[in-house]
Amino acid sequence: MHAAVATGIDAPLSLVERDVPTPGPGEVLVRMTACGVCFTDLNLVRGHFPFARFPVVPGHEITGVVEAVGEGVTFPAVGTAVGAQFLADSCGHCDYCVRGDQILCPAKRITGIVVDGGYAEFAVLKAGFVTPLPAGLDPVAAAPLMCAGITAFNGLRQAGTRPESRVAVIGSGGIGALAIRYAVAMGARVAVLGHSRRAEEQALSLGAEKFIVSSEQDPAAALKDWDGGANVILNAAPTTAAAAAAFGGLAPDGTLVLCGYDNTPLSLPSQPMVLNRLHVMANPSGSPHDLRDTLAFSAAHGILPEITRVSLDQAPATLAAMASGTAHGRSVIVF
């Protein structure tokens, strides 16, 4: 099979040929249909994950078809269209695992960082951590739902988004664009914060009622003028500073959700937090049941991202464009 391999920090991806792997007990062999290219893949080769295992096949926005199953696997069956995400597996016996919060397992392993992921024609995955695709869901366009989708959907859900909630989304790229659409489909009112007006037309077309340009006005003050502030602020921008700048725009009992961040510490004012019972949380993706819910909700509401199709041979150039800031939208490797 053909594969793209990350061999080390700051090293370009290597395009290689490998033997097709064989699934072991509890595993399935998946023939790739598509794999989304995520900013996390770029951060892998930048050295942001000290627990990474090199060499490794990147990619955790996986869709494909079960080609073979290992010993003891009764589900999913050969021929089932499945998706796989950031969470490769977990210990299965800690309190988090037995309660269905495998994403919080201290022993969890990450697809495309610790175990081989989707930048290859085949991948061996744990049977309990792949999710059947809903009927009719385009497996190519759906690939980014395995990361950007679940991160946005689960972040909104964990923060308590409900009908008539005022949701502010910082950034309208991959996670942000999906967060806008999910929040609108949940019945929420949506404002979008951007550094410039470049994404204003897109944000409004996705259902936002308000667009705030943070370079032209104080984002916190602008949100406070929005009927008293946002109940939820979801930061989809890859900078912690953007979240901190908007934090003062929360309504009482509001929640800031970090889905995007950088290495800058988050500094927040203590007294307003205490007096207004404000909350801060982060969302690292989700567990298998969260992905199942994300895909079902996306299929029911017709939510799919706009994508650019690329080949596996184009994966190194796609990551380079992402690093230089010249990539636009979600790129998906199509096999």
Side-chain angles (χ1 to χ4, degrees):
M1 69 176 186
H2 293 96
V5 180
T7 58
I9 295 171
D10 293 329
L13 296 183
S14 296
L15 298 171
V16 303
E17 287 191 5
R18 286 182 165 185
D19 292 336
V20 175
T22 300
E27 297 177 335
V28 295
L29 176 68
V30 174
R31 178 189 290 271
M32 290 298 128
T33 299
C35 183
V37 180
C38 179
F39 209 85
T40 299
D41 304 336
L42 177 61
N43 285 339
L44 166 69
V45 297
R46 284 176 164 175
H48 289 194
F49 302 107
F51 53 85
R53 185 218 74 191
F54 293 106
V56 66
V57 176
H60 55 270
E61 297 184 346
I62 291 169
T63 60
V65 176
V66 176
E67 180 88 357
V69 301
E71 181 183 348
V73 174
T74 59
F75 182 87
V78 170
T80 303
V82 297
Q85 53 132 324
F86 183 76
L87 180 64
D89 63 13
S90 65
C91 76
H93 55 75
C94 70
D95 284 347
Y96 300 109
C97 285
V98 299
R99 296 177 192 277
D101 268 335
Q102 295 95 330
I103 190 63
L104 301 180
C105 175
K108 63 179 174 283
R109 298 194 300 167
I110 307 304
T111 310
I113 296 178
V114 175
V115 300
D116 285 341
Y119 285 26
E121 292 176 307
F122 292 89
V124 167
L125 304 167
K126 292 293 185 179
F129 288 81
V130 298
T131 301
L133 299 182
L137 192 68
D138 179 351
V140 175
L145 299 182
M146 310 304 148
C147 180
I150 186 176
T151 300
F153 178 81
N154 206 32
L156 291 169
R157 184 164 68 168
Q158 294 287 343
T161 302
R162 57 186 183 273
E164 296 304 315
S165 290
R166 294 182 299 280
V167 174
V169 178
I170 306 174
S172 56
I175 293 175
L178 287 167
I180 296 166
R181 297 183 67 186
Y182 286 138
V184 170
M186 291 174 181
R189 300 168 57 195
V190 178
V192 176
L193 284 69
H195 184 69
S196 70
R197 293 196 177 276
R198 182 174 59 86
E200 181 175 12
E201 183 177 349
Q202 178 203 27
L204 297 177
S205 72
L206 293 177
E209 66 177 61
K210 186 178 184 69
F211 191 87
I212 297 167
V213 183
S214 59
S215 60
E216 297 178 2
Q217 56 187 319
D218 177 7
L223 285 175
K224 276 295 190 183
D225 288 340
W226 186 37
D227 292 345
N231 305 113
V232 176
I233 297 175
L234 186 144
N235 184 44
T239 166
T240 309
F247 182 76
L250 281 172
D253 207 26
T255 301
L256 169 65
V257 186
L258 286 179
C259 294
Y261 62 97
D262 56 20
N263 291 329
T264 305
L266 181 63
S267 179
L268 300 173
S270 302
Q271 188 177 73
M273 289 187 69
V274 173
L275 295 179
N276 294 287
R277 201 169 66 192
L278 302 181
H279 315 268
V280 179
M281 61 173 289
N283 182 52
S285 179
S287 299
H289 71 90
D290 297 311
L291 182 57
R292 188 173 290 235
D293 290 347
T294 299
L295 297 180
F297 190 90
S298 300
H301 293 275
I303 297 175
L304 289 171
E306 294 186 7
I307 64 166
T308 299
R309 294 173 176 237
V310 299
S311 67
L312 180 63
D313 290 346
Q314 293 173 292
T318 301
L319 285 185
M322 193 177 286
S324 66
T326 58
H328 300 291
R330 303 293 294 192
S331 294
V332 174
I333 299 168
V334 181
F335 293 87

